[in-house]
């Protein structure tokens, strides 16, 4: 039995290493491990008419200087698009049916469309 103990230890150690590396590498399907949001994350596309409606609202909104909003253009930036996919995945949205504009809130909720996003900002108590 003592002859097999080193072999068992080696096999178990390798198993733990492989298992750990798998989970470290997996992160999520989009390859992003973003952690919790520290601001509102607004995803938009250049040339998107609904995004333009939200942009016009945000440019004139009284709370624009009181709320931190990180903006990510996703049609021309693959990194931002993957980030949006990761956030949508956290919200259990179908990543194959995503559109802009999309808002990810600090509490981990997702909203799509110009009217729902504008309504979220209008409803903030600031």
């Amino acid at each position: 039995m003592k002859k097999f103990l080193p072999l068992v230890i080696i096999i178990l150690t390798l198993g733990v290493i492989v298992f750990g590396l798998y989970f470290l590498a997996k992160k999520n399907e989009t390859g992003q491990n973003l952690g919790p949001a520290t601001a509102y994350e607004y995803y938009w596309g250049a040339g998107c008419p609904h995004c333009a409606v939200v942009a016009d609202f945000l440019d004139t909104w009284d709370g624009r200087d009181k709320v931190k909003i990180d903006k990510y253009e996703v049609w021309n930036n693959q990194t931002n698009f993957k980030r949006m996919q990761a956030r949508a995945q956290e919200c259990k949205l179908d990543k194959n049916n995503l559109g802009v504009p999309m808002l990810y809130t600090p509490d981990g909720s997702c909203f799509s469309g110009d009217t729902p996003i504008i309504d979220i900002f209008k409803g903030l108590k600031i």
Side-chain angles (χ1 to χ4, degrees):
M1 182 68 172
K2 289 186 178 184
K3 288 192 237 181
F4 295 108
L5 188 58
L7 182 61
V8 169
I9 291 173
I10 290 171
I11 290 172
L12 287 175
T13 302
L14 287 174
V16 169
I17 290 171
V18 169
F19 191 70
L21 289 175
Y22 169 78
F23 280 103
L24 282 175
K26 182 162 168 74
K27 295 178 186 169
N28 62 38
E29 288 179 19
T30 62
Q32 304 242 346
N33 188 3
L34 303 176
T38 58
Y40 287 86
E41 295 178 6
Y42 174 63
Y43 298 92
W44 63 283
C48 163
H50 298 283
C51 301
V53 170
V54 176
D56 289 344
F57 168 78
L58 292 175
D59 288 345
T60 60
W61 178 48
D62 291 339
R64 69 183 172 272
D65 296 326
K66 299 172 186 160
V67 175
K68 185 171 181 344
I69 305 170
D70 294 332
K71 299 175 183 175
Y72 301 94
E73 198 288 325
V74 299
W75 285 359
N76 300 302
N77 186 309
Q78 191 65 23
T79 301
N80 289 348
F81 179 71
K82 286 182 179 182
R83 181 184 186 91
M84 180 177 81
Q85 284 184 312
R87 289 305 194 195
Q89 182 180 346
E90 291 175 25
C91 294
K92 308 291 188 242
L93 299 179
D94 179 5
K95 73 175 187 175
N96 297 317
N97 205 13
L98 291 179
V100 290
M102 186 184 103
L103 182 70
Y104 183 82
T105 65
D107 71 358
S109 301
C110 292
F111 298 90
S112 294
D114 52 8
T115 302
I117 291 171
I118 291 170
D119 289 345
I120 290 295
F121 287 120
K122 283 182 177 178
L124 292 178
K125 305 286 188 245
I126 51 175

